[in-house]
Amino acid sequence: MQGAIRKDGTSLYLEEVGPEHSITRMRLKKLIHRSRSPFQQIEVAESYDYGRLLVLDGCVNVAERDEANYHEMIAHIPTLLHPDPQRVLVIGGGDGGTVRELIRHPSIRHIDLVEIDREVIAVSKKYFPGLAGSFHDPRVHVHYEDGVAFTGSAVSGDYSLVIVDSSDPDGPGKGLFTRTFCESCRRCLSEDGILVAQSESPYIFPEILRETYNLFADLFPHVYPYRTMVPSYPSGQIYFMLGGKKDDPQNVDLPMRTGNFFSVHGSSLSYLNPRVLSTVFTLPEDCRRVLRG
Ligand code: SAM
């Protein structure tokens, strides 16, 4: 994807180009921040329809209005399906939304978040307190490092969950879509561990979704893609790839596994509920076709 914030007449727009010939255009009220880190351009803008946006290299990474749809699904699906999640590794996720969701789970006692770009975290703390407020939780340990290097030297079997909350594969996120990285993630997982990775959209990066599915199928006995709706992203949806090392996540006793999660948190969730959870691995036909190739 390629994108940019630019003026057209008197109005300001964010335009993202992709797959190849289509443009997603969002009208903006104002640009609040622009800086260039060693890794990417970082912008914060106020939009008319989706609230405040975090834009990395011209692409929406977070929109206030629908970010919960993404963060709830990347964080709670693996956490609720794991028998006893305690130590979690998050790669990327510098806006803080994934960590905000993870700390709702009392069984999680340690979270390592590995973000390559410290400026993303600084900007998120300043402009997105609703997401980045959770970095203060004592269970959260932030490492400013490349996720590929971190997982390459991490202790084997150390984590119940590894969650790859990456940006697109164009910029610094490129290495997070490779076999070497996924193999390292699997090695970091305990014997009943679960890996979840942001795996793009069948309309924007169909080959990434298919390749990630095939790669996970080589590495894990249980592989399930699942999606969430994020209207501010081009094509309005994004998939996650889940790989389970031991138990088949499809067969877990959901009421027992979820315990009182929904009675405690249900009213503050925006996307996930027990019915969404019970059908989370139901794939629409357009995605099944992409996976078949
Ligand atoms: N929800 C988002 C999306 O799909 O657009 C992802 C958001 S989060 C901001 C993505 C983060 O991944 C960025 O802050 C980026 O700096 C980080 N990232 C990219 N490549 C990385 C790498 N190799 N190691 C660690 N973090 C990385």
Side-chain angles (χ1 to χ4, degrees), residues 39-40 54 56 59-62 70-71 91-95 114-117 120-121 124 145-148 165-168 171-176 198 200 233 238:
F39 303 99
Q40 55 209 338
L54 174 66
L56 300 181
C59 298
V60 175
N61 270 239
V62 167
Y70 177 98
H71 292 120
I91 305 293
D95 52 78
V114 181
E115 165 61 58
I116 201 169
D117 193 341
V120 172
I121 295 191
S124 300
E145 210 180 315
D146 184 347
V148 179
D165 183 5
S166 74
S167 31
D168 287 347
K174 204 166 181 180
L176 306 181
Q198 191 273 94
E200 301 295 343
Y233 287 172
I238 198 150

Side-chain angles (χ1 to χ4, degrees), residues 101-199:
E101 297 303 320
L102 287 170
I103 62 173
R104 291 183 194 252
H105 296 271
S107 74
I108 294 179
R109 51 183 176 81
H110 184 102
I111 301 170
D112 285 317
L113 178 128
V114 181
E115 165 61 58
I116 201 169
D117 193 341
R118 66 170 63 230
E119 209 167 315
V120 172
I121 295 191
V123 166
S124 300
K125 282 182 175 168
K126 183 166 181 191
Y127 296 106
F128 296 90
L131 286 113
S134 320
F135 286 124
H136 301 301
D137 189 286
R139 290 172 285 173
V140 180
H141 304 263
V142 177
H143 309 262
Y144 296 108
E145 210 180 315
D146 184 347
V148 179
F150 187 95
T151 51
S153 59
V155 175
S156 296
D158 205 19
Y159 297 101
S160 320
L161 308 174
V162 176
I163 297 179
V164 186
D165 183 5
S166 74
S167 31
D168 287 347
D170 297 331
K174 204 166 181 180
L176 306 181
F177 291 79
T178 61
R179 173 177 282 268
T180 308
F181 172 69
C182 290
E183 284 174 349
S184 298
C185 291
R186 184 186 58 173
R187 192 184 54 74
C188 296
L189 285 168
S190 52
E191 60 172 26
D192 54 5
I194 296 178
L195 171 63
V196 166
Q198 191 273 94
S199 300

